[in-house]
Amino acid sequence: MSILTDQNRSYYNLTELKTDSDNRSMASKTPVGFIGLGNMGRPMAKNLLRNGYPVIATDVFPESRKELQDLGAQVFDTPADVAEKADRILTMLPSSPNVIEVYTGANGILKKVKKGTLLIDSSTIDPAVSREMAVAAEKMGAVFMDAPVSGGVGAASLAKLTFMVGGPKEEYQAAQELLTCMGANVVYCGAVGTGQAAKICNNMLLAIGMIGTAETMNLGIRLGLDPKLLAQILNMSSGRCWSSDSYNPVPGVMEGVPSGNNYQGGFGTTLMAKDLGLAQSTATNTKTPVPLGSLAHQIYRVMCARGYANKDFSSVFQFLREEEGQ
Amino acid sequence: MSILTDQNRSYYNLTELKTDSDNRSMASKTPVGFIGLGNMGRPMAKNLLRNGYPVIATDVFPESRKELQDLGAQVFDTPADVAEKADRILTMLPSSPNVIEVYTGANGILKKVKKGTLLIDSSTIDPAVSREMAVAAEKMGAVFMDAPVSGGVGAASLAKLTFMVGGPKEEYQAAQELLTCMGANVVYCGAVGTGQAAKICNNMLLAIGMIGTAETMNLGIRLGLDPKLLAQILNMSSGRCWSSDSYNPVPGVMEGVPSGNNYQGGFGTTLMAKDLGLAQSTATNTKTPVPLGSLAHQIYRVMCARGYANKDFSSVFQFLREEEGQ
Amino acid sequence: MSILTDQNRSYYNLTELKTDSDNRSMASKTPVGFIGLGNMGRPMAKNLLRNGYPVIATDVFPESRKELQDLGAQVFDTPADVAEKADRILTMLPSSPNVIEVYTGANGILKKVKKGTLLIDSSTIDPAVSREMAVAAEKMGAVFMDAPVSGGVGAASLAKLTFMVGGPKEEYQAAQELLTCMGANVVYCGAVGTGQAAKICNNMLLAIGMIGTAETMNLGIRLGLDPKLLAQILNMSSGRCWSSDSYNPVPGVMEGVPSGNNYQGGFGTTLMAKDLGLAQSTATNTKTPVPLGSLAHQIYRVMCARGYANKDFSSVFQFLREEEGQ
Amino acid sequence: MSILTDQNRSYYNLTELKTDSDNRSMASKTPVGFIGLGNMGRPMAKNLLRNGYPVIATDVFPESRKELQDLGAQVFDTPADVAEKADRILTMLPSSPNVIEVYTGANGILKKVKKGTLLIDSSTIDPAVSREMAVAAEKMGAVFMDAPVSGGVGAASLAKLTFMVGGPKEEYQAAQELLTCMGANVVYCGAVGTGQAAKICNNMLLAIGMIGTAETMNLGIRLGLDPKLLAQILNMSSGRCWSSDSYNPVPGVMEGVPSGNNYQGGFGTTLMAKDLGLAQSTATNTKTPVPLGSLAHQIYRVMCARGYANKDFSSVFQFLREEEGQ
């Protein structure tokens, strides 16, 4: 399930955001490098193959490489090897240290990158690291863009991801050509790092809205309001937010959301805690006060410590409710 | 400006919430009592007069009584006097102690209330006080309903308020007949006190969403994002909320909202702090954890102490930003 | 175990706080009323008996009355009955509504109180309620003082309580005469309500210090510091507080505190949550920002909901730690 | 003024912490390198000179180098130059990036460090960076220790600093020999990084205690308590902390602290915000929940944005109070 759900549909009507896949020539495509074949990277790389791009891939785990190889990708041992063969490379990695290693490590991309190569990093990391990578790439004559995604494994498989892209405007079209093979929406955000910034900002506000909705619904129920009626009132009023109208955390209020399925599926608390940690670090580094974002981070961090790590992040409703029998 | 703005339009399509003013007989109306002729009460009472209801009114301030008298209302000295003359009485008072005094004081309504009188309190107060008043009224054979409003002085003048009503279901229609003279929307919320509960819940989530939006927009701007673009991205994504898409706190992002007018007009910080105080007390009394609501309360409380008391509550964006020259 | 432990010893050296029990005549004592014979009230009343005061008591529970009767007290059915017989009355009740009922209810003290009676309330309640009771008592020609206690059941049994007293200075000596039979320390705080204020303030800062110590110790341990060494460093430095040096929440750092006994005994989380609720209400009513006090309240409220209600309040260390196996 | 004040005196009685300056040979001392001659580094380097150590120094600012040169130090252009000449080097730098540059940069210490060199970093930085530097130093055959200080410019001038030291136990004595020339207390904390950890932990708890004291004192005053009496009660009770008994933030309660001097001098809000940022980053990286520490960070961050950057951190009392005329 995607964090960005039906609401995204409106994207398609926004001319400036529209992608134009018709112009892409389907013949004689040059190979695309792909580094990081995890839960997200694998389906993304497959979608490149499906769109007719030869893929040159690597991953630290041989079995991940093997799977792509079986689907027709050419696989190599190191990022540097990939950089020798491809002049457009995507990376999809778990965290900042991995990105630093894959780009600037002993066998990193930048050891062998060709001049003019387009490097697109879809990892969710600190925007300051994105900017560092961009500087390092530029020294080698290459271009680095950040393009983190919204949407989970399902959206990756269905090529329904949303990409938020930061980097030089003049390279955006080239990036967009590849990203539209893997996502339904591609948004240009500005200079390098702003893709990360947009994702971090969205997820911080999302967390605040979700916890706020959970405590508000809980309070209303304690005060004698019917949860469905309360949700209806909020959604017609100024309390309305995505968590109240599209992903309500109270079991029984909405269908098709994790709260109706014992908080299985969806976007895990541990992932939200990670994104809030990035928001916190970024805010700390830029000396920006984020009082609610900071408290939201702490709440999800405590939840991770109290058995909610793998539940959907809307389980904060359950966390705040009184236990049975108390 | 109303807290509940354009979004309310959808109200009109909700059959169960629709008011039916056509059935109201415009002739031979019995008088309606009105107690509390302040900034909100005065225009509300006027709308009753406009709808052909004789009004029997009082207020602690003689000049407020005088103004209504000049418009054709009959005025008396005390709530008890009004209770002797009217069997439907509305009250619109600043806070819980005023409500307690007007209903149960030495010259209060309940000293002289007639059996079967319908008492409707539109003050925003602690739902526990509403329930106490209902019990006291019942002892005298009267019926008490709580019906707090959303919308400010402008909405009161234009009869565009939203009423959230709690009390016996069988009395709701009678209350609705009067309330539709003063408001565009009337929502039945359940037992007595639930009208207050709904209002308190909405405003708590509103405050959380507003502070969250302010800190998120501030963080994004610091990270190099264009504010309009960031608002656009949030509003298409899961960070979306009323404060981001209908009342954005960043100057220049939207038109026709207080952020574009130096935070003049709108819903004052001091009023938001009052409502959050009610939410906090209610949560404390029901032992409900409301971590973000509680911190939102503290932030608006500090703002009141630092010169923001009379600015619109979206000025939290300004409060959190770094000062010029820092 | 008392919240105020060894540190209190210094009390004895403070001349202005010294109690002078020698002047009390031990003969021909007039009776003292005692209302509220719960876990705290019972041992307090017994200490009055031990000091030679005839006790006239009541409680809503007949079995509590019976126990005192067997020890020599005269018992009656209602507070009004006690008020008829005694001109010095102590009350020890669970919360504000009980105090209001016992003083101003249909069979309350004030129905039959004699002019000149000294009323001392040792309940922990909202100072605003204390002030209301004082006004009501004054109307009947009686004097009301608030005198909440620090120290639990053990301290009550051993007459080691600390009383914080608010009320007319000229009545303080009379109050002190009785209170020194039940406590080791009696502190005069000022006008009526200031006893409650002092207790609420102390416990709010105590909660903040405890949670702060818990999270600091936890962070230090995660960063590789030995807990005993970290406590030693903090206690020699500016991080020092009562929770770090006298009641450390980390098992193994100190002996004789609840953290060494699986957080049994001590001061329960649910009691701390109650006191923080009072602090919160008081702060809300006086429009005082208390950001950390407010968050501390929320944390203890969540803990109550998650199984920590009956553990000592230092168990917040355990609450914040990562669970086994995570 | 030192954050660690009179309380430190007890240090001297702790045998395991006692420094033994008698064993230091005062003749034929080998030179000591010193990098970072800012407000803190300059007086520290002077104290080495005063103790008879030849000093070999550098700084990015020529005028800072000049001042030390005039006092008898030998100065060089780069850290690498210093590393060539000295086998014991101290560094005192503003933040993590400076430390990384000075150690691992193009002209950094590690470019020319001699095998067996003892490197002592007194900067306050992220313990993870300390550990990285230790690994990098070890690769070159050198030993890195972290030794951040408590105490400000005054304590540095008077050689009254407190050093918290992390690193190999077997190197501690050699480090201690130098550090005792500049400080009154040297505490061994454990493996490399634990010196930073101890400092960060202390300052986080200090900030929590200070804000807690400020809001508690403010609440008590609002409730009618005399500030001096309230401080006295807290300090005899479980609310006691360093900020209440040794550095009270309320003007007039204590003498000789910044609150009595319009919050001039002392430990600036901006420095506290920096240390809380480090605590926050460290907690985020180790997935440790620090709810009050996190909120304290946000409060000091907002204060920096609202004109309190250069006031002592106890000015949070002033920040939370209502403004004149409100």
Side-chain angles (χ1 to χ4, degrees), chain A residues 92-111:
Chain A
M92 187 62 175
L93 302 156
S95 66
S96 295
N98 305 106
V99 170
I100 294 168
E101 177 68 20
V102 159
Y103 280 87
T104 65
N107 294 305
I109 291 170
L110 299 184
K111 289 289 184 226

Side-chain angles (χ1 to χ4, degrees), chain C residues 103 118-121 125-138 142-148 164-169 171 188-198, chain D residues 222-225:
Chain C
Y103 280 86
L118 176 62
L119 303 165
I120 303 173
D121 180 38
I125 59 169
D126 190 323
V129 173
S130 299
R131 285 190 294 265
E132 278 175 38
M133 295 303 105
V135 169
E138 199 181 6
V143 172
F144 176 95
M145 303 186 87
D146 59 310
M164 288 162 273
V165 186
K169 180 86 182 180
E171 304 289 340
Y188 181 68
C189 298
V192 71
T194 55
Q196 301 293 353
Chain D
R222 293 277 190 97
L223 295 175
L225 286 160

